[in-house]
Amino acid sequence: MVDKSAFTVTKLYRDCLRLADYVGTKGGNTAVIKKQVQQQFKRNASETDPTKIAEQKDAAIRGLSNYMFMEAQRMAKEGAGSSPADKFDG
């Protein structure tokens, strides 16, 4: 049987690394951001208290959600000044 807790932590780790790659590519510091993500997960890898694990997972999820929210706002602002006709290239 698969441990769902381990699966969600692994998925969360991969999602954080993907986001670090995306953010780093935009800012030119991919290696630094990915290293920070890896360090945080390694630092907490030996944690066994379910409450603390849940808190750490929640913090990581909040970080992902906050970035997605900020990115959506940025994209909305960039798109607010142009009409769909401006984007049509035909």
Side-chain angles (χ1 to χ4, degrees):
M1 186 166 165
V2 177
D3 179 13
K4 284 192 168 203
S5 174
F7 173 75
T8 57
V9 171
T10 302
K11 181 170 179 4
L12 184 57
Y13 177 69
R14 289 180 184 154
D15 288 344
C16 287
L17 284 178
R18 277 190 214 102
L19 180 62
D21 188 49
Y22 175 75
V23 172
T25 301
K26 292 178 71 176
N29 54 352
T30 304
V32 172
I33 296 173
K34 286 178 104 171
K35 187 69 171 175
Q36 289 176 338
V37 169
Q38 291 168 342
Q39 287 173 346
Q40 285 295 320
F41 274 84
K42 282 183 182 179
R43 184 179 302 136
N44 297 306
S46 62
E47 185 61 62
T48 57
D49 181 10
T51 304
K52 288 186 180 181
I53 292 171
E55 288 172 3
Q56 293 163 351
K57 285 169 58 175
D58 289 344
I61 291 168
R62 262 192 319 277
L64 290 171
S65 298
N66 288 344
Y67 183 79
M68 290 171 40
F69 179 72
M70 289 173 37
E71 189 69 7
Q73 284 185 322
R74 182 192 62 78
M75 291 173 71
K77 285 180 184 177
E78 285 179 359
S82 62
S83 70
D86 294 338
K87 295 178 184 174
F88 182 68
D89 191 31

